[in-house]
Amino acid sequence: MDPNVLHNISYGIYIVSSNKNEAINGQIANTVFQVASEPATIAVSINKENLTHEFMLSSSQFSVSILEENTPLNFIGLFGFRSGRTADKFKDIKFKKLSSGCPVVLDNTLGYIEARIVKKLDCGTHTLFVGEMTESAMVKAGKPMTYEYYHMIKRGTTPKSAPTFIKEELPGKKEGTMQKYRCVVCNYIYDPAAGDPDNGVQPGTPFEKIPDTWVCPVCGADKSQFVKEG
C-alpha cells in the first residue's frame, strides 16, 4: 500500500477557531469541506489533543477563516505550530468575535463561516465535527490558498497533529547541489536554491551565509534548530 496516493486529494488552508466561555483559540486546518446544501453544512477534522478541539466540545460551535494564497508562512506558523495553551495567537492580529462569542480571523482572510455543531464522529486521533452554518461573510476578493500551493510553492510543512500528515522518508542530498537544512521543530526545508526572499534571503544563499538573526519562516525557530538534510 502506498500512502503517498493520498497527496492527490485536494485540500485548502484554513483557520478553525472556537471559544470556551470568554477564552478563544484557533488553529490551521486543511480538512474542511461542505457536506450538504440545505441546510448549508460543513465538516472539519480536528486532533483530539488540540486546544481548539476542547473549545469546540465546550461551545458546540466553530468558525472557519478561508486564507488567501499570498498568506505569509509565519502567519500560518503562528496558528499551525504554536499551542494556544502557551501563546495568545490573537494578540497582534485582526479578528472579531461574533455575537455567539466565537472568533473569526480577518487578517489574510477572504471570507469566514460560523457553524453550530450538530454531529461528531470519532475518527481515532481526530474528531470529525459536522456543523450547520449560522453566519458567513466575504472579507475581500482573492484566490484561496490550496494545500498544494502551500506545500509546493510556499514550501510549507504539515504538523504531525494534522489528519493528512504522512511520515515520509527524508530525501537525500543530490550530488552537485547545495546542502539543504531541515527545521527540527516543524520540518521546514531550507533550500539554498530557492532561498527565503520573503525574509531577505536571496536564492543561491548557502545556509551558512544566512544571518544569525534569521528564523524559520514557518515556526520561528532559530538557526540552531536546523540540521543537515539527507
Side-chain angles (χ1 to χ4, degrees), residues 36-51:
S37 57
E38 293 184 7
T41 306
I42 60 175
V44 58
S45 180
I46 302 294
N47 191 287
K48 293 178 181 178
E49 296 183 358
N50 291 358
L51 185 62

Side-chain angles (χ1 to χ4, degrees), residues 105-174:
V105 174
L106 299 177
D107 281 342
N108 304 300
T109 296
L110 300 179
Y112 64 82
I113 300 168
E114 182 192 47
R116 176 178 58 86
I117 297 171
V118 294
K119 290 183 180 180
K120 298 184 288 289
L121 177 63
D122 189 327
C123 299
T125 57
H126 291 67
T127 298
L128 184 69
F129 292 94
V130 179
E132 293 182 0
M133 191 166 68
T134 53
E135 188 172 339
S136 63
M138 291 295 299
V139 176
K140 61 181 176 181
K143 189 174 182 180
M145 180 180 288
T146 64
Y147 178 75
E148 181 181 22
Y149 185 89
Y150 165 72
H151 185 68
M152 301 301 294
I153 306 300
K154 303 287 282 187
R155 293 176 290 117
T157 59
T158 304
K160 292 182 179 180
S161 60
T164 56
F165 176 79
I166 297 176
K167 186 177 181 179
E168 298 175 319
E169 183 177 329
L170 298 177
K173 176 179 178 291
K174 295 181 179 179

Side-chain angles (χ1 to χ4, degrees), residues 1-229:
M1 182 171 65
D2 184 0
N4 290 301
V5 71
L6 295 172
H7 289 313
N8 293 290
I9 300 175
S10 298
Y11 303 94
I13 299 291
Y14 313 94
I15 294 178
V16 174
S17 305
S18 190
N19 65 297
K20 185 175 183 180
N21 299 320
E22 294 301 314
I24 59 176
N25 193 59
Q27 66 163 78
I28 291 294
N30 61 1
T31 312
V32 177
F33 53 98
Q34 183 177 353
V35 295
S37 57
E38 293 184 7
T41 306
I42 60 175
V44 58
S45 180
I46 302 294
N47 191 287
K48 293 178 181 178
E49 296 183 358
N50 291 358
L51 185 62
T52 304
H53 186 279
E54 176 185 328
F55 283 17
M56 290 169 69
L57 289 176
S58 174
S59 65
S60 294
Q61 63 187 9
F62 64 90
S63 70
V64 177
S65 295
I66 305 167
L67 296 183
E68 61 183 333
E69 192 172 76
N70 61 355
T71 300
L73 272 180
N74 59 1
F75 185 83
I76 297 174
L78 170 64
F79 284 92
F81 291 92
R82 299 183 188 178
S83 171
R85 295 184 175 90
T86 58
D88 181 0
K89 301 180 184 182
F90 290 84
K91 181 180 179 181
D92 298 315
I93 69 164
K94 186 177 180 182
F95 75 97
K96 71 175 181 179
K97 285 187 177 181
L98 303 179
S99 59
S100 64
C102 189
V104 290
V105 174
L106 299 177
D107 281 342
N108 304 300
T109 296
L110 300 179
Y112 64 82
I113 300 168
E114 182 192 47
R116 176 178 58 86
I117 297 171
V118 294
K119 290 183 180 180
K120 298 184 288 289
L121 177 63
D122 189 327
C123 299
T125 57
H126 291 67
T127 298
L128 184 69
F129 292 94
V130 179
E132 293 182 0
M133 191 166 68
T134 53
E135 188 172 339
S136 63
M138 291 295 299
V139 176
K140 61 181 176 181
K143 189 174 182 180
M145 180 180 288
T146 64
Y147 178 75
E148 181 181 22
Y149 185 89
Y150 165 72
H151 185 68
M152 301 301 294
I153 306 300
K154 303 287 282 187
R155 293 176 290 117
T157 59
T158 304
K160 292 182 179 180
S161 60
T164 56
F165 176 79
I166 297 176
K167 186 177 181 179
E168 298 175 319
E169 183 177 329
L170 298 177
K173 176 179 178 291
K174 295 181 179 179
E175 186 176 354
T177 63
M178 288 187 285
Q179 178 68 55
K180 297 179 182 180
Y181 282 75
R182 176 175 58 86
C183 176
V184 299
V185 177
C186 71
N187 286 325
Y188 167 82
I189 303 296
Y190 174 76
D191 182 357
D196 182 18
D198 290 344
N199 293 291
V201 180
Q202 297 305 310
T205 304
F207 184 80
E208 294 79 9
K209 298 294 185 180
I210 301 176
D212 291 338
T213 54
W214 180 83
V215 297
C216 175
V218 175
C219 70
D222 60 35
K223 286 183 66 178
S224 68
Q225 298 297 302
F226 279 74
V227 296
K228 288 183 178 180
E229 174 75 340

